[in-house]
Amino acid sequence: MSKLKGVIEIRNLSKSFVVDNDPLQILKNINVTFSSGEFVSIIGSSGCGKTTLLRIMLGLESDYEGEALLDGEPIVGPGLNRGIVFQDHRLLPWLTVTENIAFGLDKLDRKEKKHVVSEHIKLVGLNGFEHAYPSQLSGGMAQRVAIARALANRPEILLLDEPLGALDALTRIHMQKELERIWQLEKITMIMVTHDVDEAIYLSDKVVIMSSRPGVINKIIDIPFSRPRDRASSEFIHIKAQILKEFHLGTEYPFAYAI
Amino acid sequence: MFQSRGGKDKSMNISNQIKGWFASLTIPFVLLVLWQVIVSLGYVPAIILPSPEKVFSTFMTNITQNDLLRHVAASLERVILGFIIGALGGFSLGLLMGLSRTAEKIFGPTFHVIRQVPVIGWIPLIVMMFQIAEIPQIIVISLAAFFPMTLNTLAGVRNVRKEYLELAAVNGFKGLKLIRRVIVPAALPSIVTGTTLSLGMSWAVMMAAEFFIDTSYGIGTRIQAGRSSFNMALVLVGIFTVGLIGYGLTITIEALGRAVNNGRDVHKEI
């Protein structure tokens, strides 16, 4: 029986850190399932534990109560079946674009490696920059390389930790479209942490809303609209208002776009 | 498509370079004139400060008749050998202490106590232990190279961004692969600084070693010979030679360092 791949189940998960000898609860009783091929965003104010939750799924955080399962198996440490794009592109400055993308591809032989790298350079639209160093790239380009690097291992799940947070508004909108295109091509589960409500609605099948101290899930909202989505459509604006209400922010606030 | 690193207009570069040379030659020229003036006006007796002309002619006769090049070669050989031994040792210890807190606890205190002693302070002891002139020379020089290399490698390894280590962990990098592909390349700028300092220290300490340890060949030995025969022109020839060759070594190693740091040859195996 082939099971669907790229399913993460979080069950009754709680996590505390010790700060100044006092335990500080970061996540409390989290229950959520990320289904195969879904695009899910996690939004919430700073300190709600969304990045910690992502790091648990990545396998960088252990020592929690409850369960985190990947395709039915408990998550133990990082693995190549989960790719990650960090907010800082985290490209290695001493490697070229090609070498950065090939960073985790040691299992492949030379020819396969070359093929996979050029395929992914094409996927993220960076043809012509194969031999550039990270310092020569703009923020958006660097983040594309980071996405290509994360996808090159063919993960079942791509985790994105505020991947577009460091980009300017226009590049950001453009990169959201790119992410959608890549997600549709790759057909894998993508889980993205973001501060940006518009971005979450534009990209996601499902938005998980968290609040802080301790981090709990307030609500999970399905976004059933067809794609590509129109940010100016009434259904878009309606659901945005609904999400903002969760944060006790009316749409009249000018900073409602970025919580 | 993208600008190559530091890619400026070539002709601009050349004219800037010429300007740079003129700028860097100003001070030596002024000093030379001043020197000539002092000597011509007889402020200092010629036996203490010989004229530039006398120093130059001494330089020429030393090259043609007194094996100056052989003395230089002997010193260079010592320095390079001592530098390689000391720098490799320093790199290894720095890497070890940088990677493991336990190793730092074991070696750290002893290392920091020993490095407080100026390298030339070890000379009497080392000479007593190793009678043959060449061996104590090389040991002293390698000690001089060892300390800056250890310290800078240690600092470089300790300061590798934890984000890079996380990235390596996500990609399943461990052990030697982690060290070779992430830690050492990330620490490379600091390691290059250590290498440059090490070579500088080796060259400087070579002079001291040759003063204190008798050898037949060596540029320091030559200065010593000038001093004992009260030949200040020969002393100055030695000083200029040491200065110029030291400078040559520095710019060579710095150019090498820049080439490595530029990120190209660090990691070719992909």
Side-chain angles (χ1 to χ4, degrees):
Chain A
M1 271 299 292
S2 73
K3 260 181 29 183
L4 278 177
K5 289 231 169 181
V7 179
I8 287 190
E9 291 161 272
I10 307 288
R11 287 191 201 141
N12 306 320
L13 188 141
S14 298
K15 177 163 178 72
S16 306
F17 286 121
V18 177
V19 179
D20 295 335
N21 294 324
D22 290 323
L24 177 71
Q25 187 149 37
I26 300 292
L27 293 170
K28 190 180 170 189
N29 200 23
I30 302 289
N31 281 287
V32 59
T33 301
F34 303 96
S35 311
S36 184
E38 239 182 354
F39 199 116
V40 183
S41 292
I42 304 172
I43 61 176
S45 46
S46 305
C48 72
K50 51 195 189 314
T51 293
T52 306
L53 184 59
L54 203 72
R55 289 170 62 86
I56 287 172
M57 295 191 261
L58 191 58
L60 287 177
E61 297 280 349
S62 51
D63 196 22
Y64 47 80
E65 292 160 43
E67 285 183 301
L69 306 174
L70 169 65
D71 301 335
E73 302 285 327
I75 292 170
V76 188
L80 294 178
N81 49 14
R82 281 150 290 149
I84 171 81
V85 179
F86 299 97
Q87 180 175 3
D88 58 317
H89 54 70
R90 221 169 277 200
L91 300 178
L92 299 174
W94 59 89
L95 300 181
T96 62
V97 166
T98 301
E99 291 164 341
N100 264 295
I101 295 174
F103 184 68
L105 296 178
D106 286 351
K107 288 196 185 71
L108 305 183
D109 65 39
R110 212 188 176 83
K111 216 174 125 190
E112 287 172 316
K113 213 185 267 187
K114 212 174 151 184
H115 175 71
V116 169
V117 169
S118 73
E119 203 179 56
H120 283 86
I121 283 180
K122 217 179 292 162
L123 176 73
V124 296
L126 277 178
N127 311 57
F129 289 91
E130 286 84 350
H131 303 293
Y133 283 89
S135 60
Q136 297 168 309
L137 304 175
S138 69
M141 278 153 72
Q143 208 51 286
R144 283 166 192 264
V145 180
I147 293 169
R149 175 178 62 190
L151 289 173
N153 274 309
R154 301 225 161 279
E156 303 162 19
I157 297 177
L158 184 65
L159 301 162
L160 302 130
D161 188 2
E162 296 181 42
L164 312 180
L167 305 179
D168 65 84
L170 289 176
T171 312
R172 196 165 176 150
I173 290 175
H174 181 63
M175 286 296 288
Q176 288 164 4
K177 287 185 183 164
E178 285 291 284
L179 261 181
E180 183 178 44
R181 177 179 67 81
I182 291 166
W183 172 69
Q184 284 168 336
L185 274 170
E186 298 281 310
K187 297 184 176 66
I188 58 171
T189 313
M190 290 196 182
I191 304 169
M192 175 173 75
V193 162
T194 181
H195 279 106
D196 186 328
V197 177
D198 275 40
E199 181 170 292
I201 302 170
Y202 182 80
L203 283 168
S204 316
D205 297 317
K206 201 159 89 181
V207 177
V208 176
I209 299 169
M210 292 180 72
S211 66
S212 50
R213 282 155 222 234
V216 292
I217 293 180
N218 277 4
K219 207 167 201 178
I220 300 177
I221 296 178
D222 286 311
I223 317 246
F225 325 148
S226 61
R227 295 166 188 270
R229 291 171 179 167
D230 176 5
R231 291 164 214 267
S233 71
S234 62
E235 49 185 11
F236 197 102
I237 290 164
H238 177 74
I239 214 141
K240 186 172 161 185
Q242 194 188 335
I243 291 172
L244 289 172
K245 219 163 72 190
E246 289 295 322
F247 295 103
H248 310 291
L249 288 172
T251 39
E252 69 272 17
Y253 282 91
F255 52 86
Y257 284 87
I259 287 166
Chain B
M1 293 296 267
F2 53 89
Q3 285 266 308
S4 69
R5 294 193 167 190
K8 279 188 201 147
D9 194 351
K10 219 173 185 174
S11 63
M12 267 276 288
N13 261 347
I14 288 169
S15 92
N16 276 347
Q17 220 165 35
I18 291 170
K19 271 185 208 159
W21 285 337
F22 272 115
S24 57
L25 286 175
T26 316
I27 301 279
F29 183 73
V30 170
L31 289 176
L32 191 69
V33 170
L34 207 65
W35 177 12
Q36 183 63 58
V37 169
I38 289 170
V39 171
S40 307
L41 296 178
Y43 286 143
V44 182
I47 191 150
I48 292 175
L49 185 65
S51 69
E53 193 202 335
K54 172 83 171 108
V55 172
F56 185 73
S57 66
T58 311
F59 176 72
M60 293 316 285
T61 47
N62 262 280
I63 285 188
T64 50
Q65 291 159 33
N66 293 328
D67 280 347
L68 183 66
L69 294 179
R70 193 168 163 193
H71 289 288
V72 167
S75 292
L76 265 176
E77 197 184 311
R78 249 168 237 147
V79 166
I80 288 168
L81 202 61
F83 161 72
I84 289 173
I85 295 168
L88 282 179
F91 173 75
S92 312
L93 183 64
L95 186 63
L96 185 68
M97 292 203 294
L99 292 171
S100 148
R101 298 272 172 190
T102 317
E104 201 192 5
K105 279 193 191 120
I106 295 170
F107 296 106
T110 315
F111 171 80
H112 290 293
V113 169
I114 293 176
R115 90 184 165 84
Q116 305 303 321
V117 183
V119 174
I120 42 176
W122 293 102
I123 291 178
L125 192 67
I126 293 169
V127 171
M128 288 304 283
M129 291 200 298
F130 305 91
Q131 302 291 330
I132 311 156
E134 205 54 30
I135 293 177
Q137 301 257 14
I138 289 167
I139 291 176
V140 170
I141 292 167
S142 56
L143 263 181
F146 177 73
F147 295 112
M149 193 65 186
T150 311
L151 287 171
N152 282 282
T153 307
L154 172 62
V157 171
R158 271 294 149 74
N159 293 331
V160 173
R161 285 179 56 195
K162 102 177 186 312
E163 287 84 358
Y164 294 160
L165 299 178
E166 229 169 62
L167 177 77
V170 169
N171 282 282
F173 280 37
K174 281 195 197 98
L176 209 60
K177 188 167 143 185
L178 174 67
I179 295 170
R180 201 169 55 83
R181 302 248 320 254
V182 179
I183 293 176
V184 170
L188 203 65
S190 189
I191 294 170
V192 166
T193 306
T195 312
T196 313
L197 289 173
S198 280
L199 187 61
M201 285 300 288
S202 301
W203 186 246
V205 164
M206 168 276 292
M207 286 271 283
E210 289 183 357
F211 281 1
F212 290 111
I213 306 167
D214 284 337
T215 41
S216 10
Y217 286 97
I219 192 68
T221 314
R222 207 68 198 120
I223 294 176
Q224 193 70 338
R227 197 188 76 133
S228 48
S229 61
F230 223 80
N231 181 351
M232 288 306 126
L234 180 55
V235 171
L236 283 168
V237 164
I239 287 172
F240 286 131
T241 312
V242 168
L244 287 172
I245 292 175
Y247 183 61
L249 285 176
T250 304
I251 54 177
T252 309
I253 197 103
E254 278 178 350
L256 271 174
R258 267 198 304 277
V260 174
N261 266 343
N262 219 7
R264 303 202 177 172
D265 298 322
V266 183
H267 188 65
K268 270 207 157 151
E269 52 93 29
I270 281 180

